[in-house]
Amino acid sequence: MNMQIDNLKELWNKAKAEVPSADVDVPAIVSKAKSKRRSSIVAHSLNITILAATLVVITLYYFLVMRYRFLLSHVGFGIMFVSLALRIALEVISMIRAYSIDMTDTALRNTEQAVLFFKQRKRIHGLYTIAIVASYMIGFALMGPEIYNNLPLYLFAGIYLFFVVGAYILIVKIRSGIRKEMNDLEDLLALRDEIRKE
Amino acid sequence: MSAKLSLFNQIYAAHNQMVMQLCLGFVNGDRSKAKDISQEVFVSTWNSLDRFKGESSHKTWLYRITVNTCLKSLRDSKQSKNISIDVEQRADLLHHDDSTSHVQESALSALYASIGQLPEVDRLIIMMVLDDAEYSQIADVMGISEVNVRVKVHRIKQTLKKIMQNEYAD
């Protein structure tokens, strides 16, 4: 096939008339757009809701059920509370950053917004998360002696076993999340350079 | 009918084929993927319609959404770096009506396939050029200077020419 570059525009325009329509049912698109926005908000809020529910449960337990007497327990609760509250704040900031990625912006700015989002995720999932998970575990451990005094051994052992298994699952999940987000970040940085390149 | 819906209908009717053609070129003629991306484009269009300030034309605005959605689809599907489909699939992207000559059909197939061999950003830029977009419009869509667009387009045309000569010169 012998084709000159100058003919491509003509060919492209002829092809446009023959391009199949996106075949989009407008009411269906509108409905999909609305439900996508809802499900996106739900998905982003889910993590925050779970963390907030945990915060409420441990607070209620602290004030209404356990009535701790050891200073160590109060310190432990304080550390857990602050750790969870910080984690929730980070998730909210991350959600706001995710919503600031504007699909109607220029390709370069859209990519830069996504780069900022993933850089922030990198920080959240990196040092911040390690520090938060570690302090949460320390806080829980500090409460151990008093919990041990107030609960039967099997229940105490069960709680701590559940805690260790939960922490392990959390760490594995975070690591896999970090790996995926780091790949996305690398792709975005390469894309940003590609857009800027002359 | 609400004003928003009426505007959406108007934008959709005027530009849906442009969006579909850009998506087709981006995914090397894979009609199913192109349709999915086109739908995402119009979902984003609906969700962003309230923020349209009229600072650019509807077409430029839709180019932006299409370009960003195509680039985002790369992150959503890692396969896009090596999008490749066979010749039979390439041919399938065309309507097989009687008015389309076999020669034109193969030429179009070759065009989509050649565009598909370009890097993703270059694909989008050359397709806007083929779509008669002004360099200033492309600069506004990509967020780079018009001079940079000119340099890129010159380079992309040379690359595309080489690809077409190497792959389809007979």
Side-chain angles (χ1 to χ4, degrees):
Chain A
M1 180 181 300
N2 186 13
M3 188 176 301
Q4 296 299 313
I5 200 89
D6 296 339
N7 300 335
L8 295 180
K9 200 178 267 193
E10 190 188 342
L11 187 59
W12 180 265
N13 286 325
K14 277 184 189 165
K16 186 180 273 183
E18 294 162 16
V19 161
S21 148
D23 200 18
V24 168
D25 175 8
V26 172
I29 274 288
V30 171
S31 158
K32 189 180 173 188
K34 286 176 181 169
S35 88
K36 192 182 171 186
R37 175 172 278 182
R38 269 196 306 272
S39 62
S40 166
I41 291 168
V42 168
H44 276 111
S45 309
L46 191 64
N47 212 8
I48 294 169
T49 308
I50 292 169
L51 289 168
T54 310
L55 190 68
V56 169
V57 167
I58 65 163
T59 306
L60 289 175
Y61 192 77
Y62 177 76
F63 284 109
L64 303 177
V65 181
M66 200 63 182
R67 298 186 187 283
Y68 294 102
R69 286 174 290 120
F70 295 0
L71 175 64
L72 215 54
S73 304
H74 294 296
V75 173
F77 168 77
I79 291 173
M80 284 177 79
F81 186 90
V82 171
S83 306
L84 264 177
L86 275 175
R87 186 81 181 96
I88 291 167
L90 288 175
E91 283 296 326
V92 171
I93 292 168
S94 179
M95 191 170 108
I96 291 167
R97 177 80 78 183
Y99 280 109
S100 74
I101 299 175
D102 184 0
M103 294 305 278
T104 69
D105 216 331
T106 66
L108 184 58
R109 273 204 299 267
N110 178 273
T111 307
E112 282 170 344
Q113 286 163 357
V115 164
L116 284 176
F117 170 73
F118 280 104
K119 277 187 174 172
Q120 189 192 50
R121 296 296 298 177
K122 185 182 174 184
R123 277 198 299 274
I124 289 176
H125 274 163
L127 190 64
Y128 292 169
T129 295
I130 292 165
I132 286 169
V133 170
S135 59
Y136 189 81
M137 289 170 82
I138 289 168
F140 193 63
L142 290 177
M143 295 165 86
E146 190 154 358
I147 293 173
Y148 178 73
N149 281 348
N150 288 286
L151 292 178
L153 183 62
Y154 75 92
L155 205 53
F156 175 79
I159 288 171
Y160 273 76
L161 187 65
F162 179 77
F163 185 73
V164 170
V165 172
Y168 176 76
I169 292 169
L170 187 67
I171 288 165
V172 169
K173 194 170 168 284
I174 289 169
R175 279 176 64 114
S176 106
I178 292 172
R179 212 170 293 130
K180 187 192 169 298
E181 288 182 356
M182 288 314 95
N183 289 338
D184 285 343
L185 180 58
E186 275 175 25
D187 289 348
L188 280 163
L189 289 170
L191 178 63
R192 188 187 63 184
D193 293 344
E194 184 65 30
I195 294 171
R196 284 177 175 167
K197 181 179 89 177
E198 288 203 353
Chain B
M1 188 186 291
S2 72
K4 184 178 179 181
L5 187 57
S6 166
L7 179 59
F8 181 80
N9 276 327
Q10 186 192 326
I11 292 172
Y12 176 76
H15 302 299
N16 89 82
Q17 281 188 308
M18 176 275 282
V19 170
M20 186 65 179
Q21 194 177 25
L22 248 61
C23 295
L24 268 172
F26 188 74
V27 295
N28 200 356
D30 185 326
R31 195 185 288 195
S32 163
K33 279 184 188 164
K35 196 175 164 184
D36 287 346
I37 299 173
S38 295
Q39 288 205 356
E40 281 304 307
V41 169
F42 287 108
V43 165
S44 292
T45 303
W46 174 267
N47 283 335
S48 308
L49 212 51
D50 297 331
R51 278 181 282 153
F52 178 71
K53 295 182 180 77
E55 288 165 357
S56 58
S57 67
H58 285 147
K59 191 172 182 183
T60 303
W61 191 69
L62 204 56
Y63 269 143
R64 281 183 175 187
I65 298 177
T66 308
V67 164
N68 288 330
T69 308
C70 284
L71 293 174
K72 185 175 177 292
S73 74
L74 293 177
R75 299 202 290 280
D76 297 339
S77 153
K78 294 281 178 185
Q79 307 155 358
S80 48
K81 274 193 177 160
N82 289 309
I83 290 169
S84 65
I85 53 173
D86 59 32
V87 175
E88 276 179 38
Q89 280 176 291
R90 282 175 198 161
D92 186 48
L93 64 92
L94 301 167
H95 270 325
H96 297 281
D97 61 44
D98 295 337
S99 63
T100 310
S101 72
H102 176 70
V103 173
Q104 188 175 312
E105 199 172 284
S106 343
L108 280 171
S109 183
L111 175 59
Y112 281 115
S114 303
I115 289 171
Q117 289 185 48
L118 293 167
E120 292 85 6
V121 172
D122 292 357
R123 265 181 239 170
L124 292 161
I125 290 174
I126 197 67
M127 285 191 292
M128 284 188 277
V129 171
L130 294 175
D131 204 46
D132 282 331
E134 301 285 334
Y135 284 0
S136 59
Q137 198 176 17
I138 298 173
D140 190 31
V141 171
M142 300 306 295
I144 54 178
S145 71
E146 206 176 317
V147 174
N148 194 350
V149 171
R150 282 183 193 281
V151 174
K152 276 179 184 285
V153 169
H154 178 70
R155 179 177 45 79
I156 298 166
K157 278 183 178 174
Q158 284 181 327
T159 310
L160 190 59
K161 190 174 180 179
K162 271 185 204 160
I163 291 170
M164 296 193 86
Q165 279 172 346
N166 289 342
E167 297 269 328
Y168 303 100
D170 53 34

